[in-house]
Amino acid sequence: MADDATRKALALEYCRLLNAGDLEGVLALFDPGIRFEDPAGTPPRVGKEAVRQYLSGVIGAGIEEVPGEPRTSMEGQMVVLPVTGEMDAPPELKAPAGSRMRFRMVSLIRVGAAGLVTEVRVLVGRTDCRVVAPSGAPAG
């Protein structure tokens, strides 16, 4: 079982690698049976290949995450990580070209006995996101 400091460091390393565009580095932190639900309530992506496909799109959208202070749980598995950040606005938002989506979210990360991430659930709602036009002003 990973101790508190190790779990916190793992959560922060996940953000660092994601920001660096290091998909293979991110995937190396995950258990082969990773369950990744982003956002929570959507069908989970299960296994490294499903997560690879998803995160390659996130990295391609220029994700930039700023992690807050991680918190752990007494049961020895969970890390809660508040995150703010932005990425290219997804096409389904029909935002002006070059728009970015700013967000505030919380990641719930479960670390298994082998010290690898076994589950990620991202808590974010519609009111936690906003589209920003290329000029930096809110879009629409």
Side-chain angles (χ1 to χ4, degrees):
M1 186 96 36
D3 64 20
D4 286 3
T6 300
R7 285 182 281 140
K8 287 178 180 182
L10 185 63
L12 293 171
E13 181 67 356
Y14 166 74
C15 285
R16 187 190 73 73
L17 291 167
L18 195 62
N19 288 339
D22 185 351
L23 180 58
E24 295 307 314
V26 171
L27 292 171
L29 303 176
F30 294 161
D31 181 85
I34 180 74
R35 184 179 188 281
F36 197 96
E37 194 175 333
D38 181 8
T42 60
R45 293 152 184 95
V46 178
K48 284 190 179 185
E49 281 311 307
V51 174
R52 175 191 304 279
Q53 289 177 2
Y54 177 70
L55 289 181
S56 67
V58 169
I59 289 170
I63 189 82
E64 295 175 15
E65 291 190 346
V66 178
E69 186 176 344
R71 302 280 190 232
T72 56
S73 61
M74 297 293 279
E75 46 76 77
Q77 295 180 358
M78 299 299 295
V79 180
V80 177
L81 184 66
V83 175
T84 59
E86 68 177 55
M87 61 191 288
D88 294 344
E92 60 267 17
L93 294 181
K94 298 183 172 124
S99 295
R100 301 277 285 168
M101 181 178 68
R102 291 189 178 154
F103 55 84
R104 295 172 311 192
M105 65 184 199
V106 175
S107 292
L108 304 175
I109 301 168
R110 183 180 308 276
V111 179
L116 297 173
V117 176
T118 61
E119 180 180 18
V120 175
R121 295 188 75 210
V122 176
L123 306 179
V124 62
R126 287 189 173 94
T127 59
D128 301 319
C129 302
R130 69 182 174 107
V131 175
V132 178
S135 66

